[in-house]
Amino acid sequence: MQIPALSLRLAQAIVSRREEVKPYEELEELMDVRGIGPVTYGRITPFLTVGSRSELNRDLLGNPLYWTSRGRFEGFSRLQRIVQKQEGYRRADSLGGYTGSPYKYYNRFRYQSDRISLNITQEKDPGEPLPGPFRFDFTSMHLSIQNAGNLRSLVIGDYSIRFGQGLILWNGTSFGKGGGAAGRINRNEQGVRPYTSAQETDFYRGVAATWGNNIQVTGFFSSRRQSASEGGGDGIRYPSSSGLHRTLSERERKGNTGQTTFGGRIRVEAPSGFVGLSWYHNRFERPVVQGGQPWQQHLYYGRTASALSADFRMSSETATLTGEAGRTHNGGWGGLTGLIVEAGSSTDLVFSYRNYGNRFQAILGSAFGEHSGHPQNEEGFYIGLQHAFSGTVTLRGYIDRFRFSAPRYLNHQASSGYDWLLYTEYKPGRETELYLRFRYKVRGEEYSDVDEYGQVVRLPDESKRLNARIHVTREITPQIRLRSRIDWVRANPVNRPSESGILLYQDLRYRPADTFSFETRLTWFRTDGFDSRLYQFENDLLYVLSNTMLYQKGWRGYLLIGWEPHERIKFWAKISMTIYNSRDSISSGLAEIRGNRRSDAGFQMRIRF
């Protein structure tokens, strides 16, 4: 009440928010108090302070409201299955059949506030057994504290790590080349984050923490079980990334080796960017054996692995320069750098160079490149462009030239290739969007032949693939949206006949009310074979990624319904079907379906408060 311009009502409102919500961390939070606007705020702030750092930390950390501010609970439960019976369910367990039901179960329960995250995720894949209601094949848990004073992050349990440009430490989502030509090369690291995904292999389990402000120090320790194929003697193949434990043989090797990883990072921030230094050491309980194929000669083998890297980002008003370089335990080197330049108000230029040596074995990294997975045996130069001609037309494109100096998968010698994309987007208004996309890729591959002496030889050649797409989105009304697409591909594989394919779909979304949505799509496709296959992303249950591959001849359709009977409860249901015109079976092996159709059904419920 001694502060000028404060009435009794405003003074009480300030105190009430402090007691009912949480103590003030910044003066700007006074603007959240009802009755305080810009004028009043300007008059009172010269007389107010949130206190010293030590006083603030003491008041905040000891106040329960600080930890539970904006707390919310969210629970998911999901059920999915393939309707038709697959071959794996027809065979007995002793003959290699699946040991569990065809249903896929997923549960996730999470409490989250501004500072705390507490999570448990459970999943059972199709074909895996579920001995009891709490004995899921995969269970993930964590307790996390975020942004509590100088403690930027503390995670106990399962977590992910994304450092620098992903050269030596990066797990989780990472995008490669695509339509966003100007932004793909520049990754925004997220550091240590609690893990909530159902992906069963790409995470850490233990404890990790980051402390500091302008200078941040991170340390982490992880110890977990992994599944790997036996490699002879005490050795194993590199641990599998599938996470599937359906048959007796798959279940026998579940968790058959341990993996221990520890490391850290120092990051120093400056007004124009930051520099960082990262490292890790990894040890497998059993040695990974070396494969005998030519393309496996440089892959990781052994029991231990380690890596060290330095990265940076420097920004000005018109340019951003990023990079990372590292060395692995066996003396291999790798690095990448990128430059994004604003060449005018409507134009962005991108330049990137990468060079991952043959001996570079960053088994925990996932950097930008032609291939997904660990960066190794690749050199490439990427140029991208994005230009807005007006408020309605945008042009994006890139060309990427790459080279592999040692054998890659199924190749016995060095190879190279290039990839270019042209993407034009037209938005005449908020209701309509149209884009055209052309992509052409050439990659060096080999094929077997017999020479004049009757000996089998491997000869180099090039596979080529041209893809063209036209896509239109039209919002008829706020309740009705239409999407139409034509996708065409021409494939010239090595030593096989050329193939072509086409895909057309019509998509409808209808939302008659805020609590109900209806989405459906009908797709027709026709390709000459697998080499001319086409893909389409589909809307699906929340947090389910669906990228369907289609080839040969047929139809596909799906229906997705969302219903929110209460602000705290929402349901989703999806059913889809693919019908092939000239097939009497789908897929092969244990996944084979007898007949020409495959149907999938899924149901999901979310509760939050």
Side-chain angles (χ1 to χ4, degrees):
M1 284 297 297
Q2 298 180 28
I3 304 301
L6 277 183
S7 64
L8 174 61
R9 178 180 60 81
L10 290 179
Q12 290 176 331
I14 292 174
V15 174
S16 295
R17 184 188 184 281
R18 185 175 64 213
E19 295 176 347
E20 297 173 5
V21 179
K22 67 178 180 65
Y24 295 91
E25 297 180 66
E26 299 176 345
L27 286 177
E28 287 78 5
E29 294 180 12
L30 288 168
M31 295 288 287
D32 297 334
V33 176
R34 185 175 182 180
I36 296 182
V39 176
T40 303
Y41 176 79
R43 291 176 179 174
I44 65 177
T45 49
F47 305 97
L48 298 174
T49 177
V50 293
S52 66
R53 172 63 66 176
S54 60
E55 292 173 331
L56 179 62
N57 287 340
R58 183 185 66 246
D59 293 342
L60 291 175
L61 299 180
N63 192 313
L65 294 176
Y66 173 77
W67 300 101
T68 60
S69 173
R70 294 201 300 176
R72 55 228 180 252
F73 171 84
E74 189 172 67
F76 278 93
S77 187
R78 182 190 305 146
L79 176 67
Q80 297 171 283
R81 70 159 292 173
I82 299 173
V83 177
Q84 289 78 16
K85 181 176 287 188
Q86 296 174 291
E87 181 64 26
Y89 303 105
R90 300 179 185 273
R91 299 185 189 179
D93 297 354
S94 58
L95 298 177
Y98 295 151
T99 58
S101 74
Y103 291 95
K104 180 175 183 175
Y105 298 110
Y106 169 88
N107 294 321
R108 193 184 83 186
F109 307 99
R110 186 179 188 183
Y111 171 81
Q112 189 174 16
S113 69
D114 287 347
R115 301 291 182 270
I116 295 177
S117 174
L118 181 62
N119 178 88
I120 178 170
T121 300
Q122 303 168 309
E123 186 192 54
K124 181 199 89 71
D125 288 309
E128 295 176 340
L130 182 62
F134 303 105
R135 298 176 63 185
F136 284 75
D137 181 77
F138 174 69
T139 300
S140 172
M141 295 182 287
H142 75 250
L143 169 62
S144 172
I145 298 174
Q146 304 287 327
N147 299 317
N150 289 326
L151 181 63
R152 305 297 292 265
S153 177
L154 170 65
V155 185
I156 301 173
D158 297 343
Y159 57 91
S160 64
I161 294 178
R162 300 177 186 177
F163 286 161
Q165 294 298 305
L167 184 66
I168 69 167
L169 282 167
W170 191 284
N171 64 303
T173 303
S174 59
F175 295 100
K177 293 175 288 186
R184 298 293 189 179
I185 68 164
N186 184 17
R187 291 190 179 175
N188 295 314
E189 70 165 285
Q190 299 179 2
V192 173
R193 286 292 181 269
Y195 189 76
T196 60
S197 172
Q199 209 283 336
E200 300 183 24
T201 59
D202 193 18
F203 66 94
Y204 300 89
R205 176 167 289 174
V207 60
T210 299
W211 179 273
N213 289 295
N214 292 334
I215 300 178
Q216 299 174 18
V217 179
T218 299
F220 65 91
F221 175 84
S222 171
S223 180
R224 53 170 306 207
R225 307 300 299 180
Q226 292 274 37
S227 302
S229 299
E230 297 293 332
D234 187 44
I236 56 171
R237 301 298 180 185
Y238 195 83
S240 169
S241 60
S242 71
L244 297 175
H245 307 104
R246 304 160 299 178
T247 65
L248 291 177
S249 60
E250 288 176 346
R251 297 193 64 76
E252 286 176 358
R253 59 176 178 260
K254 179 182 179 181
N256 62 350
T257 188
Q259 181 178 4
T260 301
T261 311
F262 59 89
R265 174 171 173 80
I266 298 176
R267 169 172 157 153
V268 180
E269 296 186 355
S272 59
F274 66 83
V275 294
L277 183 68
S278 307
W279 70 278
Y280 71 81
H281 180 79
N282 182 88
R283 179 178 177 84
F284 291 106
E285 185 179 68
R286 300 171 60 186
V288 176
V289 299
Q290 186 177 25
Q293 297 296 324
W295 54 271
Q296 296 175 318
Q297 62 180 309
H298 294 297
L299 298 184
Y300 169 80
Y301 66 93
R303 193 186 295 268
T304 62
S306 58
L308 172 70
S309 76
D311 64 276
F312 69 92
R313 177 186 297 169
M314 306 299 291
S315 299
S316 66
E317 292 183 359
T318 59
T320 299
L321 180 66
T322 63
E324 185 171 8
R327 184 180 186 274
T328 54
H329 59 282
N330 61 338
W333 287 89
L336 72 162
T337 185
L339 174 65
I340 301 176
V341 179
E342 295 182 12
S345 60
S346 304
T347 305
D348 292 333
L349 294 173
V350 180
F351 305 92
S352 176
Y353 175 74
R354 61 191 184 274
N355 192 336
Y356 314 133
N358 301 337
R359 302 182 65 232
F360 187 66
Q361 297 179 346
I363 63 173
L364 303 181
S366 179
F368 177 83
E370 168 64 15
H371 289 280
S372 59
H374 312 319
Q376 186 183 31
N377 180 28
E378 181 177 338
E379 182 181 13
F381 185 68
Y382 174 99
I383 301 176
L385 166 71
Q386 177 171 306
H387 177 73
F389 288 97
S390 64
T392 59
V393 179
T394 302
L395 175 68
R396 302 187 186 100
Y398 71 76
I399 182 168
D400 183 46
R401 181 77 183 184
F402 47 86
R403 182 177 68 92
F404 313 120
S405 58
R408 298 288 294 192
Y409 179 64
L410 297 182
N411 280 1
H412 290 61
Q413 53 194 306
S415 59
S416 62
Y418 62 90
D419 176 21
W420 63 259
L421 176 140
L422 181 63
Y423 179 101
T424 303
E425 184 179 68
Y426 174 59
K427 288 185 177 181
R430 295 181 58 184
E431 298 81 13
T432 304
E433 176 185 343
L434 180 148
Y435 75 78
L436 301 174
R437 195 191 76 168
F438 300 91
R439 185 175 185 181
Y440 184 63
K441 177 179 284 191
V442 176
R443 288 182 56 181
E445 294 185 8
E446 299 173 4
Y447 67 96
S448 298
D449 201 354
V450 179
D451 64 13
E452 56 183 322
Y453 303 105
Q455 296 178 328
V456 177
V457 294
R458 296 186 64 86
L459 302 175
D461 204 340
E462 293 182 334
S463 68
K464 302 173 183 178
R465 183 180 176 91
L466 173 64
N467 178 245
R469 174 186 297 172
I470 178 171
H471 181 100
V472 181
T473 300
R474 174 69 176 171
E475 189 173 287
I476 306 301
T477 69
Q479 293 77 34
I480 299 175
R481 186 202 66 192
L482 299 176
R483 281 181 176 171
S484 306
R485 174 179 294 182
I486 302 175
D487 225 347
W488 176 85
V489 64
R490 179 71 174 177
N492 298 96
V494 170
N495 203 33
R496 292 192 300 274
S498 299
E499 295 184 4
S500 62
I502 188 170
L503 177 152
L504 298 86
Y505 76 58
Q506 180 59 57
D507 189 294
L508 166 66
R509 183 188 70 188
Y510 178 49
R511 292 184 175 176
D514 292 339
T515 59
F516 183 81
S517 64
F518 169 99
E519 300 184 41
T520 185
R521 177 184 296 176
L522 182 62
T523 303
W524 174 82
F525 58 93
R526 178 173 181 172
T527 78
D528 293 332
F530 181 77
D531 289 320
S532 53
R533 63 195 178 276
L534 289 159
Y535 296 85
Q536 64 172 17
F537 280 98
E538 297 180 355
N539 293 323
D540 213 314
L541 308 178
L542 189 62
Y543 301 138
V544 175
L545 179 63
S546 180
N547 187 20
T548 306
M549 179 181 67
L550 299 170
Y551 67 99
Q552 295 185 341
K553 304 173 184 178
W555 297 82
R556 176 172 173 82
Y558 73 81
L559 172 64
L560 174 64
I561 297 175
W563 179 45
E564 191 172 7
H566 189 273
E567 62 179 1
R568 303 190 186 279
I569 302 175
K570 188 168 184 178
F571 300 96
W572 291 265
K574 180 181 179 180
I575 184 167
S576 62
M577 179 182 294
T578 306
I579 302 175
Y580 294 90
N581 293 342
S582 58
R583 298 179 65 175
D584 54 13
S585 66
I586 301 173
S587 194
S588 61
L590 296 179
E592 182 181 2
I593 296 173
R594 299 175 186 176
N596 69 334
R597 66 181 59 193
R598 166 176 167 159
S599 305
D600 297 80
F603 177 80
Q604 180 171 282
M605 178 181 68
R606 180 186 68 190
I607 300 176
R608 59 183 179 183
F609 54 86

